[in-house]
Amino acid sequence: MSGYIVILLWSVLSLGMADHVPVHLADEHFVTKQKSVYDLLQHLDCVDVGNPGLYREGASWDVRGNLKAYDSEVIVNDFLDKYERGMLPRGRVFSVFYPVILDEAIALFRLFRSAVDFKTFYKTAAWARIHVNEGQFVYAFSVAVIHRPDTKYVKLPAPYEINPDLFFNTEIIRQAQLQKLNRLPGSAGSHVIFANRSLWYAGYHDDREHEIDYFVEDVGMNAYYQILNLEFPFWMSSEEFNLPKGYRGELYYHNLKLILTRYNLERISNNLDKIEYIDWNKPIETGYHPSMTYHNGLHFPRRDHNSMVPRNKYKKLQDMRNLESRILEAIDSGFVLNADGKSESIYTSDGFDILGNIIEGNVDSLNKQLYGSINSLARNILGFSPDPLSNHQILPSALEHFSTSLRDPGFYRICNRIVEFFNRYKSNLEPYTAEELGQSAGLKIESVVIDKLETYFDHYDSVIESSDDFSFTVKARQRRLNHKPFSYAIRVHSEMDTEAMVRIFLGPKYNALHNELAITENYENFYEFDAWKIKLEPGWNDIKRTSNNALFVVPDDEGIEVFYRKLKAAAEEKAPLTYSEHVYGFPDRLLLPKGKKEGLRLQVFVHVVPCSRDHIQEIDSPIWGKAYTDGRPMGFPLDRPIQANNFTLPNMRFEEVVIFHREAAEINATV
């Protein structure tokens, strides 16, 4: 990793979030922006009713007639040229994994970004809301809100309340639509529909994948993954858009690896086997029946169990074999070919980042033509989607939307396959020395004490239909995993004043046969759930922290109807409104895997190591807020093969933990 710059969140594992996330009182300008963003993303299927003022704003705006309101005439003309020649029609399905449709969305994003002030941005968005495909509008507008400086800390509505058809099954969506259609004029109130689990596994009685549907179909988890892909869209050039450089490819790897390790802990909790390795030459063992319908009535493609890759994917399958072969050759030889045909070493300080960009196939790849994108290609092949009838007539699979990818078991098989490429690279690196791990740092962990860990299921309501003022709502109620808040206390002895990074990982301790796993074989199965910077004094230091402080988590969204009422009160009655610098994150209730009634035995690994002042840097992510990096690789020190004797140092400690699962009533009785 070059430049010692890292970012963020669940995946940025060398980072520590600020201990106290700043909360601010919104001024009048912020309230206006926040309410405008929410208004623009409501009722996109009927833009000519519901908010007549917003519709008039959009209908009256003339993009070409206001060229001076944008900072690039070239960008405006490029978009208008595409628009006048015909972009994706309203009502059609949108996906970023189809080049022509994506190119149109990028042109719209550039138009939004080039608006010289928020007023122009708002008017342009109001115009696009009427004239542009709904999916393209939501995507381009969301990326613009996150990347425009004048909308910093402005929150987007929860994705599942913008496009519920991408988060809930057909049965739920249709019931909600009927509730709204049968509503008596002027009636108010809230109607709740229980969102039962999918039936994608129907007809396969020996398939146990459905036992973790509470995790893979969790709307908070799926929203997290969608938002995750808005900060560094694979098409967004670091050079052109002045993005931080040096860690994009590494971040891609960690996003996949940590979702995979968290998913695997859920499998362990439910006594499920390790996921099978995909062999493109053999039947795909795990199928997927989405039980979902697009907003225009088209059904998501399905994949039957034990299906061979369909004929229409044969050419892509050959491309995949070629790309994988080239990447394996690069890893084993240590060199990649850049766009000029020159060799570049990847066993350098920035080599892992180079490899990550190549495997994702993002726009920063050294040679996109040669290495392509195995990420995009694998999604297309395994999704079993039909070939497009035209550039604007597509039927993407669940894998071809970030909002639905996690629902398909195939996603985790793709993750597993891709992560193996990175692990192969890591296996060629030397293990960390005792010195690099902090042997002579004068630090000793005396004890690690963690509260009793308990998980349970509760319910969460999401608005999927509503009146314009939210006086009438239809909500989907979903069963979700949660855990009791817990704290952890770490006692550390230091020989001197020093700043240090504390990292905590959670992982398996036993295999399926209940034999204890050696860390040398198990280190890749841990995920880091907290990391922070701390000041240590000479002598004993008692460190206390709660699960709510974990570096990447946020509580569930309070609900669009609740927040919108606060916005209206702030705008019309000058009621106080606060906002956080930590706008998005991983659902805090999913920090732990589901426990067992008799207890799920796992282990935590705690590592304390000094920070080099030369390498400490505060960074500010537009999505995840402020964090610190200490210059070490993401996932350190469990990111490389391990020498067992080096993991008995005094500044590290393994501790067994047991997670119990209880009924919600039992939990409440003990509070």
Side-chain angles (χ1 to χ4, degrees):
M1 183 176 62
S2 65
Y4 299 102
I5 299 178
V6 205
I7 198 146
L8 130 147
L9 134 58
W10 191 25
S11 49
V12 180
L13 305 184
S14 329
L15 292 183
M17 296 294 289
D19 286 341
H20 302 287
V21 178
V23 176
H24 305 283
L25 184 65
D27 60 21
E28 183 179 349
H29 297 294
F30 188 91
V31 170
T32 298
K33 293 174 183 178
Q34 183 64 84
K35 185 173 182 299
S36 297
V37 166
Y38 264 60
D39 285 338
L40 285 161
L41 290 172
Q42 300 310 308
H43 305 292
L44 296 171
D45 57 339
C46 50
V47 295
D48 55 340
V49 297
N51 192 331
L54 177 59
Y55 182 78
R56 286 193 297 271
E57 287 261 29
S60 63
W61 183 248
D62 180 2
V63 175
R64 193 182 298 280
N66 288 276
L67 282 177
K68 292 185 178 179
Y70 303 91
D71 61 19
S72 172
E73 188 173 327
V74 172
I75 287 175
V76 176
N77 288 331
D78 177 65
F79 169 77
L80 290 175
D81 179 61
K82 286 181 171 60
Y83 177 72
E84 289 164 359
R85 284 191 286 111
M87 290 172 53
L88 182 67
R90 288 181 61 81
R92 297 275 180 89
V93 179
F94 168 76
S95 168
V96 297
F97 291 100
Y98 291 78
V100 172
I101 293 173
L102 173 61
D103 189 51
E104 294 167 357
I106 294 172
L108 180 59
F109 162 75
R110 292 179 191 275
L111 180 69
F112 288 153
R113 187 174 179 270
S114 69
V116 296
D117 53 31
F118 182 81
K119 182 179 179 181
T120 302
F121 175 42
Y122 171 74
K123 288 178 178 291
T124 308
W127 174 89
R129 182 175 179 266
I130 299 171
H131 295 95
V132 174
N133 174 272
E134 303 91 330
Q136 277 183 329
F137 168 73
V138 170
Y139 181 73
F141 181 73
S142 298
V143 179
V145 168
I146 285 170
H147 286 272
R148 282 183 63 92
D150 57 5
T151 48
K152 188 174 184 178
Y153 306 135
V154 171
K155 182 173 69 170
L156 294 164
Y160 46 83
E161 293 181 321
I162 301 174
N163 296 121
D165 56 292
L166 296 178
F167 292 86
F168 296 98
N169 300 331
T170 303
E171 179 187 3
I172 305 305
I173 298 299
R174 287 179 177 169
Q175 286 186 48
Q177 291 169 344
L178 286 173
Q179 288 273 14
K180 187 175 181 180
L181 283 172
N182 294 331
R183 173 198 177 203
L184 295 174
S187 63
S190 182
H191 300 262
V192 176
I193 300 170
F194 285 87
N196 295 322
R197 65 192 185 193
S198 288
L199 298 177
W200 61 262
Y201 55 88
Y204 301 95
H205 302 296
D206 59 343
D207 190 319
R208 298 182 56 207
E209 292 290 329
H210 67 277
E211 294 181 25
I212 53 176
D213 62 1
Y214 62 85
F215 180 76
V216 301
E217 293 187 6
D218 187 286
V219 295
M221 183 69 179
N222 282 275
Y224 157 78
Y225 185 61
Q226 179 174 333
I227 294 290
L228 186 70
N229 284 279
L230 295 180
E231 183 169 20
F232 287 93
F234 62 85
W235 51 265
M236 186 176 283
S237 165
S238 297
E239 193 68 38
E240 179 183 355
F241 295 101
N242 197 30
L243 301 178
K245 299 177 180 64
Y247 64 88
R248 179 181 193 159
E250 188 178 12
L251 181 61
Y252 166 72
Y253 159 69
H254 273 282
N255 285 336
L256 290 186
K257 181 176 183 285
L258 293 170
I259 288 175
L260 180 64
T261 52
R262 179 62 186 83
Y263 167 82
N264 282 336
L265 286 179
E266 218 60 58
R267 294 183 68 87
I268 291 171
S269 168
N270 288 274
N271 301 314
L272 297 178
D273 293 334
K274 287 185 176 181
I275 58 177
E276 71 280 3
Y277 186 78
I278 292 177
D279 185 336
W280 297 117
N281 300 310
K282 295 180 180 179
I284 306 300
E285 187 174 320
T286 305
Y288 180 56
H289 293 200
S291 299
M292 297 176 72
T293 306
Y294 286 109
H295 64 283
N296 61 2
L298 294 174
H299 292 277
F300 276 68
R302 59 184 273 179
R303 181 182 65 253
D304 290 333
H305 283 53
N306 297 307
S307 295
M308 293 298 293
V309 172
R311 288 177 179 271
N312 71 314
K313 305 297 182 184
Y314 284 1
K315 173 62 169 63
K316 289 184 171 63
L317 197 56
Q318 185 58 52
D319 291 341
M320 174 64 82
R321 295 189 183 103
N322 292 338
L323 296 183
E324 289 184 332
S325 175
R326 292 167 193 167
I327 289 170
L328 285 173
E329 182 182 353
I331 292 170
D332 292 341
S333 70
F335 293 93
V336 296
L337 290 177
N338 63 26
D340 297 325
K342 297 179 180 178
S343 294
E344 291 196 23
S345 173
I346 55 173
Y347 289 98
T348 59
S349 60
D350 59 351
F352 193 72
D353 183 63
I354 291 172
L355 179 65
N357 289 332
I358 284 174
I359 290 177
E360 183 185 18
N362 63 52
V363 72
D364 289 343
S365 170
L366 281 184
N367 195 335
K368 182 73 177 289
Q369 183 176 356
L370 181 64
Y371 297 107
S373 171
I374 62 173
N375 172 62
S376 299
L377 204 52
R379 289 172 183 268
N380 184 278
I381 294 170
L382 198 56
F384 282 34
S385 56
D387 291 335
L389 296 177
S390 72
N391 287 332
H392 290 155
Q393 291 176 288
I394 63 172
L395 187 58
S397 71
L399 292 173
E400 293 174 295
H401 300 284
F402 294 120
S403 54
T404 55
S405 292
L406 303 190
R407 299 170 71 99
D408 185 344
F411 173 79
Y412 305 96
R413 278 70 181 168
I414 293 173
C415 282
N416 194 47
R417 191 175 181 90
I418 291 176
V419 166
E420 281 301 312
F421 286 109
F422 290 105
N423 289 344
R424 185 168 180 141
Y425 173 96
K426 291 278 190 177
S427 70
N428 293 330
L429 301 178
E430 291 294 325
Y432 290 113
T433 65
E435 192 65 29
E436 290 173 313
L437 294 170
Q439 179 183 39
S440 60
L443 299 175
K444 179 184 179 181
I445 300 177
E446 177 70 17
S447 63
V448 175
V449 179
I450 301 177
D451 283 349
K452 185 176 183 180
L453 303 178
E454 294 182 306
T455 62
Y456 60 96
F457 285 114
D458 62 8
H459 293 95
Y460 181 70
D461 294 348
S462 307
V463 173
I464 54 177
E465 287 285 358
S466 71
S467 59
D468 303 324
D469 60 357
F470 296 101
S471 61
F472 170 85
T473 59
V474 182
K475 299 180 180 180
R477 178 165 293 173
Q478 187 182 56
R479 187 182 73 149
R480 64 179 192 173
L481 181 65
N482 208 335
H483 64 78
K484 285 184 66 174
F486 60 93
S487 62
Y488 27 102
I490 306 167
R491 194 158 208 238
V492 179
H493 188 274
S494 177
E495 295 180 359
M496 65 191 78
D497 279 315
T498 186
E499 286 189 320
M501 287 293 292
V502 183
R503 295 175 171 86
I504 304 183
F505 298 78
L506 180 67
K509 185 170 184 179
Y510 302 97
N511 63 18
L513 298 176
H514 307 291
N515 297 318
E516 186 167 351
L517 294 163
I519 188 61
T520 52
E521 300 173 358
N522 192 32
Y523 69 96
E524 293 175 351
N525 298 317
F526 282 72
Y527 87 95
E528 186 174 5
F529 72 82
D530 202 2
W532 69 99
K533 182 169 68 74
I534 192 169
K535 174 74 172 176
L536 297 176
E537 298 176 350
W540 291 108
N541 295 263
D542 291 311
I543 306 167
K544 294 183 179 180
R545 195 163 166 95
T546 68
S547 55
N548 296 330
N549 298 133
L551 71 93
F552 59 87
V553 301
V554 294
D556 279 317
D557 195 272
E558 60 188 326
I560 191 169
E561 81 285 14
V562 174
F563 187 64
Y564 193 77
R565 290 189 189 111
K566 291 180 180 179
L567 281 176
K568 284 193 69 175
E572 298 171 6
E573 304 166 18
K574 308 303 180 186
L577 179 77
T578 59
Y579 64 92
S580 171
E581 291 187 10
H582 190 180
V583 186
Y584 309 99
F586 185 80
D588 59 358
R589 55 190 171 74
L590 294 179
L591 196 60
L592 299 177
K594 182 173 74 71
K596 294 184 177 182
K597 188 172 184 179
E598 70 276 15
L600 172 66
R601 304 174 81 85
L602 302 174
Q603 61 182 328
V604 295
F605 170 67
V606 182
H607 185 226
V608 183
V609 64
C611 299
S612 168
R613 293 194 172 217
D614 294 336
H615 296 161
I616 294 175
Q617 183 174 351
E618 182 183 84
I619 55 109
D620 191 2
S621 162
I623 291 185
W624 317 110
K626 292 180 180 178
Y628 296 97
T629 171
D630 66 353
R632 295 182 173 92
M634 300 177 192
F636 174 85
L638 300 182
D639 63 310
R640 291 188 187 180
I642 281 173
Q643 287 184 347
N645 60 315
N646 282 345
F647 273 71
T648 58
L649 299 177
N651 63 320
M652 54 181 66
R653 189 178 183 95
F654 289 91
E655 197 76 35
E656 181 175 300
V657 295
V658 183
I659 306 175
F660 296 93
H661 189 72
R662 302 283 186 252
E663 296 297 325
E666 295 179 71
I667 296 288
N668 293 333
T670 61
V671 173

